[in-house]
Amino acid sequence: MDDISGYTDAVRGMWGDADYPALADRFAPAAHDLVDALAPGPHDQVLDVAAGTGSAAALARERGAAVLATDLSPRMVALGRGRTAGSGVVWLEADVEDLPLPPTCADIVLSSFGLIFAPRPAVALAQVRRALTPAGRFGLTAWTPDGFMGRMTRVMRRHSPAPPGLADPLDWGRPEMVRDRLAAFTDVGVVTRTLPWHFDSPAAMTAFLLAHSPVHAAAAAGLGGARAAEMFTEVEEMTGPAGWPVRLDAEFLVATATVGNT
Ligand SMILES: C[S@@+](CC[C@H](N)C(=O)[O-])C[C@H]1O[C@@H](n2cnc3c(N)ncnc32)[C@H](O)[C@@H]1O
C-alpha cells in the first residue's frame, strides 16, 4: 500500500473506540518484562512508542528515567496522561512512522505490543534508530504466531481480513524475522514469555474483548451480529469446553537490541 494516510486515519480512531485500560492491565506483565530487560535508570531518556495508556512508560518512570510516551490515538494519549498525572511522564500524540522528535534524543526506545502495529516496519524502525543515541537500546514485545493471541488473530483475520499490502504484526513474533529486521543493531536478544489469560468462561472472555479490545470491537462492528457471533464462537472453541474457565498462558516474545557503531 503506497498511500497509507487513509489507513492511518482509520486506525487512529479505531484504537480509541473501546475501554482499553482493563486490557492494558492484562497486558501489563509484558510491559514489566520489557522494562526489566532494558533496565532504564535515572540517567536515561526513555521513549515509549505506541505507548497506549503508558504501562511501560510508567514503569520506566518509576525507575527514575525521564520518559516521553507517544501514541497515534488521541484517546490513548488522554487516558495515559490521566493515568500518569503527577508522575512526570510527558505525552505526545505521534505516529511511530513519523516521530516529530530530534535525532538521538533517546537512550532507550521501547514498545509493548505497539510498534508491531506499524504498517511499514522498516519505516517505523528507521524512526526508532533516528531517535536513539549511538549507544541506544531498543526493545519490543510481540505476540508469537503460535501462541493463543497469534492463533486468535489468525482466526479473526479469516473472518475479517486486514487490508492488503500491510505488514503482519505477527511477523514481529517470529524470532528469525525479528533478528532479520534488527540486523543493523548489535546484541540482539529474543526470549519468549507468557502472561496469564484467565476468564470465568469462554463467553466471559468474548464479553471482555468486546468491551475492552479496540481490535475485537472493530472487527465485530464491521462483521455485524451473526457473522461476528460466528467468529467469536470459533475463538471460544480454541480455549476449551464451553462454560469451563479459561486458563491459558498467552505467549509473547521480548526482543532487545543495541544500536552499536554500525
Ligand atoms: C495493543 S495497544 C498497546 C498499548 C500499550 N503499549 C500497552 O502495553 O498497553 C497498541 C497501541 O498501538 C498504538 N498504535 C497503533 N498504530 C500506531 C502507530 N502507527 N503509531 C503509534 N501508535 C500506534 C495504538 O493506538 C495502541 O495504543
Side-chain angles (χ1 to χ4, degrees), residues 29-94:
H32 274 272
D33 287 343
L34 179 61
V35 172
D36 282 350
L38 291 165
H43 301 294
D44 288 321
Q45 170 73 53
V46 173
L47 171 62
D48 186 353
V49 291
T53 55
S55 296
L59 292 167
R61 183 71 194 121
E62 279 170 22
R63 289 170 172 252
V67 180
L68 174 63
T70 63
D71 197 277
L72 180 67
S73 155
R75 172 89 181 126
M76 289 289 190
V77 169
L79 288 167
R81 273 208 179 100
R83 173 185 180 185
T84 59
S87 71
V89 174
V90 177
W91 284 87
L92 184 69
E93 228 177 272

Side-chain angles (χ1 to χ4, degrees), residues 140 142-147 169-183 188-193 251-256:
L140 60 69
W143 301 114
T144 58
D146 295 329
L170 294 179
D171 280 345
W172 279 111
R174 302 178 201 279
E176 68 288 358
M177 180 78 89
V178 178
R179 288 183 184 283
D180 196 42
R181 285 179 176 172
L182 298 179
V188 177
V190 178
V191 294
T192 53
R193 297 274 181 267
E251 189 184 68
F252 61 96
L253 64 72
V254 182
T256 52

Side-chain angles (χ1 to χ4, degrees), residues 176-241:
E176 68 288 358
M177 180 78 89
V178 178
R179 288 183 184 283
D180 196 42
R181 285 179 176 172
L182 298 179
F185 288 73
T186 60
D187 293 332
V188 177
V190 178
V191 294
T192 53
R193 297 274 181 267
T194 60
L195 58 78
W197 191 245
H198 294 180
F199 295 91
D200 290 343
S201 66
M205 179 186 74
T206 295
F208 177 89
L209 289 170
L210 283 169
H212 302 291
S213 167
V215 171
H216 290 79
L223 287 168
R227 290 171 63 217
E230 220 174 277
M231 178 181 79
F232 279 112
T233 299
E234 208 177 319
V235 168
E236 288 180 18
E237 283 168 359
M238 292 166 52
T239 68

Side-chain angles (χ1 to χ4, degrees), residues 7-8 11-12 15-16 20 23-25 27-28 30-31 48-56 70-73 76 83 94-97 99 111-119 141 143 214-215:
Y7 170 79
T8 303
V11 294
R12 182 182 285 113
W15 280 106
Y20 182 70
L23 185 57
D25 287 348
F27 290 171
D48 186 353
V49 291
T53 55
S55 296
T70 63
D71 197 277
L72 180 67
S73 155
M76 289 289 190
R83 173 185 180 185
D95 184 345
V96 66
E97 293 192 352
L99 293 171
S111 191
S112 194
F113 305 128
L115 182 143
I116 59 170
F117 291 105
T141 66
W143 301 114
V215 171

